[in-house]
Amino acid sequence: MMSSPVILDCTLRDGGYYNAWDFPREIIAEYLTAMSAAQVDIVEMGFRFLKNVGFKGPCAYATDDFLRNFTMPSSMTLGVMVNGSDLHTDIGWEAAIKQLFPETAETSPVQLVRFACHYHELPNTLLAVKWLSDRGYRVGFNLMQIADRTQEEIENLGRMAREYPVEVLYFADSMGSMTPDDTAQIVGWLRKEWDGPLGIHTHDNMGLALSNTLRAVAEGVTWLDATITGMGRGPGNARTEELVIEAEEMRGRKANLVPLMEMIRRHFRPMKEHYGWGTNPYYYLSGKYGIHPTYVQEMLGDSRYDEEDIFAVLDHLRQEGGKKFSLDRLLGARNFYSDDPRGTWKPADMIAGRDVLLLGTGPGVAAHRPALEAYIRREKPLVLALNTQSAIDSDLIDLRAACHPVRLRADCDVHPTLPQPLITPVSVLPDDLREALSGKELLDFGLTVQNGTFEFYDTYCVTPTPLVVAYALAVLTSGKANRVLMVGFDGYPAGDPRNDQMSDLLDLYRSAGNCPPLLSVGPTTYKSLPSVSIYGL
């Protein structure tokens, strides 16, 4: 066992999940200097991916020829990582590892190779450990998603690794779900069969990455991962700039943090503001429920997902399982209404032939309340409000519409206090929502969500999104409204992609045919929404 911690920085590898491993060469050169000054022992220069699908920068492949472009500080060890899944290929593990490492350690700039694998990938990966060791490489072994493994499986991992030339056995809190006590328990289980160096790689979903790392040190773990500003998949990792401060006292080695902090100021802080890694309530929930953080990362990077969508998807994955990331599963989780639509209420019985004033949730409703109320009293349109919009006299609102399960759950205490009937897809709501709304007059208009589609039927509809505005427009079209006057659809500041998304939604709606004319009577930034003034009606 090593007597003092080994600090391994894996920014260029784990951070690449945000910038496709496309770090400029000048930043890499500065990075190496800063890591040496900060007393970092090992730098992981990236992955060695086997597959070449889509553009990825040089740190995704970290080839020997690329790495030779840099002057390596003599005090540091250079490493790369290989995913164990890349060894489970049609060409077989040995052909794969030969392709990834064409040189021996004698000629390669790489000294340390770490394998990251799931439990079921152990056999092939351990064989590759021996192959690399025979060619002079130091080899580390990382077991991912350790929190999902039983004590027996973890002890078995230690037992198996003991039979191979593994220099350090790592465990990774891949979901960011572990506490310091969990960390201590895992170390104890591994120690029953493994007496060599242990390492830990933590994720910061619940803000515990550094705490878990330091608890691991207290339990005898000596290899510690970190990244600059925590840059890494999902919420990121323990932060190098903090860990090297903690390590100073443990190791009695003074770290010069000035070059590192300059790099953070000039490069990594702007990148963090751009890409947005770091923990937040969404990542906290993903850690708490054992959901793969890439689900959150993907949703935060996709403006189609608003706050309600993200919480709804996480709730769905908590119940259905989300430990392994799948884009198909993410898209399926977003389509809350994927079953065959059902409904019992016919909007045409109440709406056919009438003008409808549709009240959105934007500030334009409250800002122009007197004019809107005067218009309603004078012209007597049917007034439909979205969700719990209550910026005008409640007596002037005829109906409400709501469909998003998270919004309904958030408003389920408010809806029973509002006098208007609520249009909602009752038949497919979760049982707890139906029970919460049991005292409310509900008009069951069915809904299913299908990408790129608007369809209108007597008692149900198909929409491309669970957004309530899409549902309300479908209700009014099925109800054969004469025209739809819209207010409270103010839009977003210039450059916000949600403006284009709403315009695309309205264009798709019109292309479905047989739709009533839409006309904004309040301020709006939506280019595809014709606009007049409520004051001229």
Side-chain angles (χ1 to χ4, degrees):
M1 291 280 297
M2 297 182 183
S3 59
S4 64
V6 175
I7 307 300
L8 186 155
D9 184 277
C10 48
T11 304
L12 302 182
R13 192 264 304 171
D14 214 350
Y17 284 104
Y18 276 101
N19 67 350
W21 297 275
D22 193 17
F23 291 93
R25 292 191 180 193
E26 58 272 19
I27 289 182
I28 296 175
E30 289 182 42
Y31 161 82
L32 292 170
T33 299
M35 292 296 98
S36 178
Q39 297 294 306
V40 169
D41 302 288
I42 302 170
V43 289
E44 198 162 58
M45 299 295 288
F47 274 110
R48 281 204 177 169
F49 286 137
L50 186 66
K51 298 175 183 177
N52 187 354
V53 179
F55 174 77
K56 299 180 183 68
C59 291
Y61 305 99
T63 63
D64 291 329
D65 286 342
F66 173 72
L67 297 178
R68 289 189 180 101
N69 288 293
F70 304 100
T71 300
M72 299 295 171
S74 59
S75 60
M76 286 195 311
T77 297
L78 188 153
V80 296
M81 177 170 275
V82 176
N83 278 325
S85 58
D86 278 353
L87 304 183
H88 289 67
T89 67
D90 293 338
I91 63 174
W93 73 265
E94 189 167 2
I97 200 68
K98 286 180 179 178
Q99 184 174 328
L100 291 172
F101 293 91
E103 299 186 31
T104 66
E106 184 177 357
T107 61
S108 171
V110 173
Q111 298 156 282
L112 174 71
V113 180
R114 295 201 300 171
F115 286 99
C117 75
H118 295 92
Y119 190 79
H120 68 276
E121 297 162 346
L122 287 175
N124 280 1
T125 310
L126 286 169
L127 291 172
V129 167
K130 185 177 187 310
W131 188 94
L132 282 171
S133 179
D134 288 345
R135 283 151 185 80
Y137 290 97
R138 301 166 61 188
V139 185
F141 193 92
N142 296 36
L143 182 65
M144 297 188 290
Q145 298 187 5
I146 191 77
D148 295 338
R149 306 271 61 94
T150 65
Q151 178 178 353
E152 181 180 359
E153 288 172 325
I154 291 171
E155 291 178 10
N156 187 50
L157 165 66
R159 188 180 307 113
M160 293 176 66
R162 198 172 59 199
E163 303 302 317
Y164 292 86
V166 174
E167 179 169 343
V168 56
L169 182 60
Y170 263 86
F171 62 98
D173 178 20
S174 304
M175 305 300 182
S177 60
M178 291 170 55
T179 67
D181 285 346
D182 295 329
T183 300
Q185 183 179 63
I186 296 296
V187 173
W189 289 347
L190 286 169
R191 277 287 171 235
K192 290 180 180 296
E193 296 290 343
W194 172 262
D195 58 5
L198 283 173
I200 186 169
H201 178 93
T202 57
H203 281 188
D204 207 30
N205 299 59
M206 298 195 295
L208 296 174
L210 184 61
S211 297
N212 284 335
T213 300
L214 295 179
R215 179 62 180 273
V217 172
E219 300 295 329
V221 172
T222 53
W223 287 55
L224 314 175
D225 279 14
T227 58
I228 299 175
T229 68
M231 186 183 188
R233 176 151 48 176
N237 314 105
R239 290 175 280 278
T240 300
E241 57 272 22
E242 297 171 354
L243 186 57
V244 294
I245 292 172
E246 294 289 342
E248 278 188 336
E249 184 176 345
M250 301 178 203
R251 305 192 296 184
R253 290 159 54 186
K254 185 67 176 176
N256 176 9
L257 296 183
V258 173
L260 174 56
M261 298 311 294
E262 288 178 350
M263 281 207 76
I264 291 173
R265 174 178 56 82
R266 291 190 294 111
H267 302 302
F268 284 89
R269 189 174 297 140
M271 277 196 287
K272 185 175 182 180
E273 290 174 358
H274 176 73
Y275 292 111
W277 65 82
T279 193
N280 57 43
Y282 307 125
Y283 283 123
Y284 189 94
L285 283 173
S286 74
K288 184 176 178 64
Y289 297 138
I291 297 168
H292 202 291
T294 300
Y295 285 108
V296 176
Q297 182 175 327
E298 287 289 324
M299 290 189 286
L300 290 176
D302 187 336
S303 58
R304 293 177 299 174
Y305 292 86
D306 61 16
E307 293 82 0
E308 295 174 355
D309 284 335
I310 297 174
F311 280 120
V313 167
L314 291 176
D315 187 62
H316 174 85
L317 293 171
R318 177 176 66 89
Q319 300 176 53
E320 300 297 324
K323 294 184 182 301
K324 182 178 181 181
F325 176 73
S326 162
L327 187 58
D328 290 339
R329 183 181 287 268
L330 173 59
L331 295 175
R334 185 171 185 261
N335 291 337
F336 318 108
Y337 301 110
S338 56
D339 296 333
D340 291 337
R342 303 184 300 277
T344 58
W345 178 65
K346 293 179 62 174
D349 292 343
M350 184 179 293
I351 298 173
R354 299 185 65 179
D355 282 359
V356 176
L357 181 63
L358 182 61
L359 304 179
T361 56
V365 179
H368 304 286
R369 174 176 178 168
L372 291 168
E373 291 181 345
Y375 175 80
I376 295 168
R377 292 188 175 100
R378 183 177 69 250
E379 301 296 335
K380 296 181 171 49
L382 183 138
V383 180
L384 173 61
L386 301 186
N387 298 318
T388 57
Q389 166 62 269
S390 299
I392 68 169
D393 187 343
S394 181
D395 291 339
L396 299 178
I397 299 174
D398 299 297
L399 298 168
R400 295 185 179 275
C403 63
H404 199 294
V406 172
R407 173 61 66 182
L408 276 167
R409 186 167 280 112
D411 293 339
C412 65
D413 292 335
V414 179
H415 278 298
T417 69
L418 300 172
Q420 299 83 15
L422 177 64
I423 307 168
T424 192
V426 180
S427 303
V428 291
L429 291 181
D431 292 341
D432 65 322
L433 276 180
R434 285 203 298 270
E435 183 178 348
L437 297 170
S438 59
K440 178 80 177 176
E441 182 182 356
L442 303 178
L443 305 177
D444 184 11
F445 186 72
L447 168 65
T448 191
V449 174
Q450 184 176 324
N451 189 41
T453 303
F454 265 112
E455 295 177 3
F456 317 106
Y457 302 94
D458 288 346
T459 61
Y460 66 92
C461 65
V462 180
T463 67
T465 169
L467 291 175
V468 66
V469 62
Y471 181 63
L473 291 174
V475 168
L476 298 179
T477 305
S478 296
K480 299 178 172 54
N482 179 52
R483 65 175 179 166
V484 180
L485 307 178
M486 303 172 67
V487 66
F489 297 87
D490 303 55
Y492 302 92
D496 192 311
R498 289 173 292 183
N499 288 321
D500 292 335
Q501 289 162 10
M502 177 60 80
S503 293
D504 291 344
L505 179 70
L506 296 176
D507 289 341
L508 180 63
Y509 167 72
R510 291 190 188 93
S511 70
N514 299 317
C515 302
L518 304 181
L519 196 63
S520 173
V521 298
T524 184
T525 60
Y526 300 136
K527 295 179 180 179
S528 63
L529 182 58
S531 180
V532 298
S533 173
I534 185 65
Y535 296 97
L537 293 178

